[in-house]
Amino acid sequence: LQEEEDDDEDEEEEDDDDEDDEDEDEDPSGDLDVDFEFFDPTEDDYHSVGDLIKNGLFEFVELNFAELADCIVGQGNIGTVIKSESDAGGAGGDKENTVCGVLTTLNLRQFAKQSWPKTLGAAMLKKAEKNADAEVVQKLKGYLQHREGSEVGLMVSERFVNLPPQLIPALHRALLEDIEWSCSTKECPPEEKPFYGFTNFIGIVRCFQVGKPGAAGAAAPKGKRRKAAAAATSSEAEPVGAGGFVWPRPEDELYFAKAAFSFAFPVAASGSGRQRGESGVAGASKGGSGRGQEMRAIFGLTRKAFDKVVKEMAASPKFVPDGEEE
């Protein structure tokens, strides 16, 4: 009997040691240890990139997403895919890779034989005619209609909004480096190089309109109602940025501020926000989070302006992790 009791005690001690080892492997803060890496797009990323763009910013137009995704992953010389690697089963377990962002630009003239440039261009013009003045409409037409000496790229930027902010400037520097390399290297076929001399970019981004149209002229609340409204605004609303909009991604506000032209239009509530990592606000187009009406902003950016945006990112505190500002 004594020997059996000793064996039971030994087994209990081993179990305790195993539990201690597992506790040591866990992050005491409860945070998941995730590594992020940049990769050139490849055919293996087709489905993941396709999911990002289908659940992204193009819900206002019926695009051939399979075709667009194929163009993105087939252009390995320009563009970056961000992948995360995390432990799937704790210590010694398998690693899980997730595509959580892509940034690239596709020359509208180079891919003119595809269906998406024409379809997207027509949809943007239709929105501009309803939501922008005549000058903006003409500038957009100028970007969409090829003119000698200009090369216009559609900027495709889809990512989870909760990515570490310090990744974003490096992601944009990589795009500039890809463009410069493609224009100078002997590895790119001579007939392709002219397409990579981008002079302008067109982008589509997400923002929120604060308040309702005509709200500025409405009577202000008085007394206690006024104090309550002010308290609600300060606790719920996010900072209003360029154009009077709330910008979930800080880089989009920089694009908009430097744009040669821009306009915005409302869209119906969508559930895509949660897939981009926006906890608690997915699907809310009005109120709720203090962001207001969900919008899409379309902008035109010169190459010089884009260079300035990338430089400003490197110096902006918005792209520094919380608690690390100087």
Side-chain angles (χ1 to χ4, degrees), residues 219-275:
K222 297 180 180 180
K224 292 182 179 179
R225 289 172 55 210
R226 180 178 180 180
K227 292 180 181 179
T233 300
S234 62
S235 62
E236 296 179 7
E238 296 184 41
V240 178
F245 299 114
V246 169
W247 303 92
R249 308 190 314 180
E251 65 267 33
D252 296 339
E253 182 179 4
L254 291 179
Y255 299 151
F256 196 82
K258 298 290 186 186
F261 69 86
S262 60
F263 67 96
F265 56 92
V267 294
S270 67
S272 60
R274 189 173 301 280
Q275 296 185 21

Side-chain angles (χ1 to χ4, degrees), residues 97-290:
N97 288 310
T98 302
V99 173
C100 48
V102 60
L103 176 65
T104 191
T105 186
L106 301 172
N107 189 302
L108 298 178
R109 185 170 70 90
Q110 182 179 12
F111 295 99
K113 292 183 179 180
Q114 306 288 331
S115 68
W116 63 262
K118 184 177 181 179
T119 303
L120 183 58
M124 288 192 291
L125 275 175
K126 185 176 180 180
K127 291 297 184 182
E129 289 167 353
K130 289 184 178 181
N131 299 276
D133 58 35
E135 183 179 358
V136 169
V137 173
Q138 289 304 312
K139 287 183 178 180
L140 176 59
K141 286 182 177 179
Y143 272 54
L144 296 174
Q145 298 168 354
H146 174 66
R147 296 176 180 176
E148 190 167 348
S150 68
E151 298 294 345
V152 180
L154 172 68
M155 189 180 297
V156 180
S157 177
E158 292 288 355
R159 69 173 179 85
F160 298 156
V161 295
N162 59 354
L163 283 180
Q166 66 270 27
L167 294 177
I168 309 309
L171 182 65
H172 285 74
R173 285 197 303 271
L175 180 59
L176 286 180
E177 291 169 0
D178 286 347
I179 293 172
E180 292 170 0
W181 180 86
S182 298
C183 291
S184 60
T185 184
K186 295 180 179 180
E187 295 182 33
C188 280
E191 63 272 18
E192 288 186 11
K193 283 190 177 183
F195 296 122
Y196 305 136
F198 293 101
T199 58
N200 304 86
F201 302 96
I202 291 179
I204 304 167
V205 294
R206 186 169 181 251
C207 60
F208 291 84
Q209 185 178 51
V210 179
K212 298 179 180 179
K222 297 180 180 180
K224 292 182 179 179
R225 289 172 55 210
R226 180 178 180 180
K227 292 180 181 179
T233 300
S234 62
S235 62
E236 296 179 7
E238 296 184 41
V240 178
F245 299 114
V246 169
W247 303 92
R249 308 190 314 180
E251 65 267 33
D252 296 339
E253 182 179 4
L254 291 179
Y255 299 151
F256 196 82
K258 298 290 186 186
F261 69 86
S262 60
F263 67 96
F265 56 92
V267 294
S270 67
S272 60
R274 189 173 301 280
Q275 296 185 21
R276 292 194 295 273
E278 295 183 56
S279 176
V281 300
S285 65
K286 293 183 179 180
S289 67

